[in-house]
Amino acid sequence: LSADYSLNKVSSLNAAYEREIFHREHRERDKTWEDKVKVGYVNRGLPDSTLRVSYEYGDRRGAEYETAAYEEFVSAALVPMPTTAGANVASWAVHMNNGIRKFDLADRQRQTLDARLNAMLRSDLDAGAALQLRQTEYPDSDYGRAKQSQGSVNLDLNYQPSAERTISAAISRARLRV
């Protein structure tokens, strides 16, 4: 679901809502869903330039997380189980720590801020600059990554000396903190 609203001749606001649902077999979760809300602003009124800014919030949840999802595929006959009285059989074969969540299945909250400026420097040369800031949290992960921040900057140039040729150059820098 999305909508655009024109503020004036050169700028507009947009908003979107998206729900994504995955059904899985033989995974720790049978089903996950993610709701995303995105709002943006576009300005085409700058001299020979376009500015785009957007913010997105995503919230992923799912069915009960079952860390023993692979039991039907594992045979105890492959590895002899301890028979000594008092042996901790439950810890003998561990597929996964119960406090760790797989990142494609874990509950997640993500916020993303994007900004991009495109400018026509000459009739045959344009430049772009983009910035992205992203904050991701995994609230139910007791171990491993619980929070990460990342940021990136991208600069690009496109030169078109003729209809048959285009020369492009780009440089990017990204940083991830876990």
Side-chain angles (χ1 to χ4, degrees):
L1 180 65
S2 64
D4 291 311
Y5 178 74
S6 180
L7 296 172
N8 52 42
K9 290 183 179 183
V10 297
S11 60
S12 63
L13 291 174
N14 54 66
Y17 169 77
E18 175 184 342
R19 176 163 249 215
E20 186 175 52
I21 301 172
F22 285 102
H23 295 275
R24 297 176 171 89
E25 290 185 24
H26 313 300
R27 296 293 307 272
E28 286 81 354
R29 277 187 153 162
D30 296 331
K31 178 180 172 183
T32 60
W33 56 89
E34 183 169 11
D35 294 311
K36 295 179 187 176
V37 176
K38 185 174 184 177
V39 293
Y41 171 75
V42 178
N43 186 321
R44 294 179 183 86
L46 304 170
D48 296 323
S49 301
T50 301
L51 174 67
R52 297 176 184 279
V53 179
S54 67
Y55 170 79
E56 180 178 295
Y57 176 79
D59 188 29
R60 181 173 58 202
R61 298 289 182 245
E64 183 179 345
Y65 202 98
E66 178 60 50
T67 56
Y70 303 103
E71 284 183 352
E72 63 186 286
F73 302 107
V74 178
S75 172
L78 296 176
V79 178
M81 300 303 275
T83 56
T84 308
N88 185 354
V89 178
S91 67
W92 184 250
V94 176
H95 168 71
M96 186 174 151
N97 179 330
N98 287 342
I100 294 177
R101 299 289 184 253
K102 293 188 177 175
F103 295 115
D104 65 327
L105 300 172
D107 288 351
R108 178 185 74 198
Q109 296 166 335
R110 176 175 281 168
Q111 300 180 68
T112 306
L113 177 66
D114 284 308
R116 178 153 181 92
L117 178 67
N118 288 337
M120 190 167 80
L121 305 177
R122 300 185 334 204
S123 63
D124 60 352
L125 180 66
D126 67 82
L131 169 72
Q132 182 182 77
L133 302 172
R134 178 177 285 168
Q135 181 79 27
T136 306
E137 295 184 28
Y138 298 91
D140 294 333
S141 296
D142 297 329
Y143 300 100
R145 250 185 259 172
K147 182 187 269 191
Q148 70 182 33
S149 301
Q150 77 185 69
S152 63
V153 176
N154 182 65
L155 304 171
D156 57 81
L157 285 171
N158 295 293
Y159 174 60
Q160 188 171 8
S162 68
E164 297 84 25
R165 290 195 194 353
T166 300
I167 300 169
S168 299
I171 186 168
S172 296
R173 172 123 169 108
R175 182 175 185 184
L176 174 67
R177 281 185 286 169
V178 181

